[in-house]
Amino acid sequence: MAKKTPLGTIRTRRRGISPLGWALRGATAGAAGTTALNVVSYLDIAIRGRPASSTPERTVEKLADEAHVQIPGEGDERESRVQALGALTGLVSGVGIGVLVGLVRAAGFRSSPPVGTALTTVGVLLATNGPMTVLGITDPRTWSRTDWISDVVPHLAYGLLVKTSMDAFDRP
């Protein structure tokens, strides 16, 4: 039995996969989606010759300041740590959103590919840009059309791959 909603259906009958199983499948889909996001971002950087975004590193710096935590090292050593921590925050966000998508799937929610892709894309955009906006690192209201495209397209690749992967896991 399934209950219809405007965004999809919620199934009340389970297939025998536990919530932990769906969370692990979501983590896998999130890792794949994060890889797709990075590939699209780096292709954009390579094609247009634009610099990589410094917002992940600035976010790490701001979070460390807010938490009164010192990032060890000086000069290049510290800069390398901050850069690595910035990249790791993106990986953690991507896998974490995947886990949430898996748990939503465990609750029985199913949607069409366009709706699921859109929901996942919006979720990952909010999860990644939201904290940076709250911390004052960026302000999407000031972004140009090119800035928005540079941000949305890689996140859309993430959403598409996560949705496609989760649908593949759901097939009998």
mmCIF file of all heavy atoms in Angstrom, residues 16-35:
data_model
loop_
_atom_site.group_PDB
_atom_site.id
_atom_site.type_symbol
_atom_site.label_atom_id
_atom_site.label_comp_id
_atom_site.label_asym_id
_atom_site.label_seq_id
_atom_site.Cartn_x
_atom_site.Cartn_y
_atom_site.Cartn_z
ATOM 1 N N GLY A 16 12.302 -5.343 3.218
ATOM 2 C CA GLY A 16 13.213 -6.174 3.993
ATOM 3 C C GLY A 16 14.592 -5.566 4.173
ATOM 4 O O GLY A 16 15.462 -6.195 4.743
ATOM 5 N N ILE A 17 14.809 -4.343 3.684
ATOM 6 C CA ILE A 17 16.086 -3.668 3.901
ATOM 7 C C ILE A 17 15.920 -2.777 5.126
ATOM 8 O O ILE A 17 14.997 -1.977 5.212
ATOM 9 C CB ILE A 17 16.497 -2.832 2.667
ATOM 10 C CG1 ILE A 17 16.659 -3.742 1.446
ATOM 11 C CG2 ILE A 17 17.775 -2.061 2.942
ATOM 12 C CD1 ILE A 17 16.876 -2.999 0.147
ATOM 13 N N SER A 18 16.812 -2.926 6.077
ATOM 14 C CA SER A 18 16.718 -2.168 7.328
ATOM 15 C C SER A 18 17.068 -0.699 7.105
ATOM 16 O O SER A 18 17.700 -0.339 6.105
ATOM 17 C CB SER A 18 17.688 -2.760 8.355
ATOM 18 O OG SER A 18 19.030 -2.455 7.972
ATOM 19 N N PRO A 19 16.692 0.173 8.051
ATOM 20 C CA PRO A 19 17.114 1.574 7.954
ATOM 21 C C PRO A 19 18.644 1.715 7.865
ATOM 22 O O PRO A 19 19.143 2.553 7.110
ATOM 23 C CB PRO A 19 16.565 2.209 9.232
ATOM 24 C CG PRO A 19 15.334 1.401 9.527
ATOM 25 C CD PRO A 19 15.720 -0.016 9.143
ATOM 26 N N LEU A 20 19.373 0.878 8.607
ATOM 27 C CA LEU A 20 20.834 0.926 8.515
ATOM 28 C C LEU A 20 21.293 0.555 7.104
ATOM 29 O O LEU A 20 22.194 1.184 6.547
ATOM 30 C CB LEU A 20 21.480 -0.009 9.538
ATOM 31 C CG LEU A 20 23.006 -0.091 9.479
ATOM 32 C CD1 LEU A 20 23.634 1.283 9.699
ATOM 33 C CD2 LEU A 20 23.526 -1.106 10.487
ATOM 34 N N GLY A 21 20.651 -0.450 6.516
ATOM 35 C CA GLY A 21 20.982 -0.835 5.145
ATOM 36 C C GLY A 21 20.749 0.302 4.170
ATOM 37 O O GLY A 21 21.561 0.550 3.276
ATOM 38 N N TRP A 22 19.614 1.015 4.333
ATOM 39 C CA TRP A 22 19.343 2.156 3.465
ATOM 40 C C TRP A 22 20.313 3.297 3.737
ATOM 41 O O TRP A 22 20.739 3.992 2.811
ATOM 42 C CB TRP A 22 17.896 2.626 3.610
ATOM 43 C CG TRP A 22 16.951 1.798 2.801
ATOM 44 C CD1 TRP A 22 15.951 1.006 3.269
ATOM 45 C CD2 TRP A 22 16.938 1.662 1.369
ATOM 46 N NE1 TRP A 22 15.313 0.384 2.216
ATOM 47 C CE2 TRP A 22 15.902 0.769 1.036
ATOM 48 C CE3 TRP A 22 17.701 2.192 0.339
ATOM 49 C CZ2 TRP A 22 15.602 0.408 -0.270
ATOM 50 C CZ3 TRP A 22 17.417 1.845 -0.967
ATOM 51 C CH2 TRP A 22 16.369 0.957 -1.262
ATOM 52 N N ALA A 23 20.676 3.510 5.006
ATOM 53 C CA ALA A 23 21.647 4.564 5.326
ATOM 54 C C ALA A 23 22.994 4.267 4.667
ATOM 55 O O ALA A 23 23.636 5.181 4.116
ATOM 56 C CB ALA A 23 21.810 4.695 6.841
ATOM 57 N N LEU A 24 23.413 3.018 4.690
ATOM 58 C CA LEU A 24 24.678 2.645 4.039
ATOM 59 C C LEU A 24 24.590 2.799 2.522
ATOM 60 O O LEU A 24 25.540 3.248 1.881
ATOM 61 C CB LEU A 24 25.069 1.219 4.417
ATOM 62 C CG LEU A 24 25.463 1.025 5.878
ATOM 63 C CD1 LEU A 24 25.655 -0.451 6.197
ATOM 64 C CD2 LEU A 24 26.718 1.823 6.206
ATOM 65 N N ARG A 25 23.457 2.430 1.958
ATOM 66 C CA ARG A 25 23.259 2.642 0.524
ATOM 67 C C ARG A 25 23.284 4.143 0.209
ATOM 68 O O ARG A 25 23.851 4.570 -0.799
ATOM 69 C CB ARG A 25 21.938 2.021 0.070
ATOM 70 C CG ARG A 25 21.991 0.508 -0.020
ATOM 71 C CD ARG A 25 20.579 -0.086 -0.148
ATOM 72 N NE ARG A 25 20.606 -1.513 -0.357
ATOM 73 C CZ ARG A 25 20.776 -2.425 0.603
ATOM 74 N NH1 ARG A 25 20.934 -2.031 1.858
ATOM 75 N NH2 ARG A 25 20.794 -3.709 0.315
ATOM 76 N N GLY A 26 22.669 4.939 1.078
ATOM 77 C CA GLY A 26 22.693 6.388 0.895
ATOM 78 C C GLY A 26 24.101 6.957 0.992
ATOM 79 O O GLY A 26 24.469 7.853 0.224
ATOM 80 N N ALA A 27 24.900 6.443 1.928
ATOM 81 C CA ALA A 27 26.292 6.895 2.050
ATOM 82 C C ALA A 27 27.059 6.591 0.768
ATOM 83 O O ALA A 27 27.838 7.422 0.272
ATOM 84 C CB ALA A 27 26.967 6.228 3.249
ATOM 85 N N THR A 28 26.821 5.417 0.215
ATOM 86 C CA THR A 28 27.474 5.036 -1.041
ATOM 87 C C THR A 28 27.028 5.957 -2.176
ATOM 88 O O THR A 28 27.857 6.452 -2.958
ATOM 89 C CB THR A 28 27.148 3.570 -1.386
ATOM 90 O OG1 THR A 28 27.587 2.744 -0.304
ATOM 91 C CG2 THR A 28 27.808 3.129 -2.667
ATOM 92 N N ALA A 29 25.727 6.201 -2.265
ATOM 93 C CA ALA A 29 25.208 7.099 -3.298
ATOM 94 C C ALA A 29 25.750 8.513 -3.093
ATOM 95 O O ALA A 29 26.094 9.204 -4.062
ATOM 96 C CB ALA A 29 23.678 7.104 -3.278
ATOM 97 N N GLY A 30 25.848 8.957 -1.836
ATOM 98 C CA GLY A 30 26.389 10.284 -1.539
ATOM 99 C C GLY A 30 27.856 10.407 -1.932
ATOM 100 O O GLY A 30 28.286 11.445 -2.445
ATOM 101 N N ALA A 31 28.629 9.344 -1.711
ATOM 102 C CA ALA A 31 30.041 9.362 -2.123
ATOM 103 C C ALA A 31 30.151 9.438 -3.648
ATOM 104 O O ALA A 31 30.980 10.186 -4.183
ATOM 105 C CB ALA A 31 30.757 8.127 -1.585
ATOM 106 N N ALA A 32 29.306 8.683 -4.334
ATOM 107 C CA ALA A 32 29.301 8.732 -5.803
ATOM 108 C C ALA A 32 28.867 10.114 -6.281
ATOM 109 O O ALA A 32 29.461 10.675 -7.215
ATOM 110 C CB ALA A 32 28.382 7.647 -6.360
ATOM 111 N N GLY A 33 27.844 10.671 -5.647
ATOM 112 C CA GLY A 33 27.376 12.003 -6.020
ATOM 113 C C GLY A 33 28.433 13.069 -5.779
ATOM 114 O O GLY A 33 28.597 13.989 -6.588
ATOM 115 N N THR A 34 29.170 12.937 -4.680
ATOM 116 C CA THR A 34 30.239 13.885 -4.374
ATOM 117 C C THR A 34 31.339 13.805 -5.430
ATOM 118 O O THR A 34 31.892 14.832 -5.846
ATOM 119 C CB THR A 34 30.811 13.615 -2.974
ATOM 120 O OG1 THR A 34 29.743 13.745 -2.022
ATOM 121 C CG2 THR A 34 31.919 14.581 -2.614
ATOM 122 N N THR A 35 31.632 12.596 -5.883
ATOM 123 C CA THR A 35 32.614 12.438 -6.954
ATOM 124 C C THR A 35 32.128 13.135 -8.223
ATOM 125 O O THR A 35 32.891 13.853 -8.888
ATOM 126 C CB THR A 35 32.889 10.943 -7.220
ATOM 127 O OG1 THR A 35 33.389 10.353 -6.010
ATOM 128 C CG2 THR A 35 33.889 10.753 -8.340
#
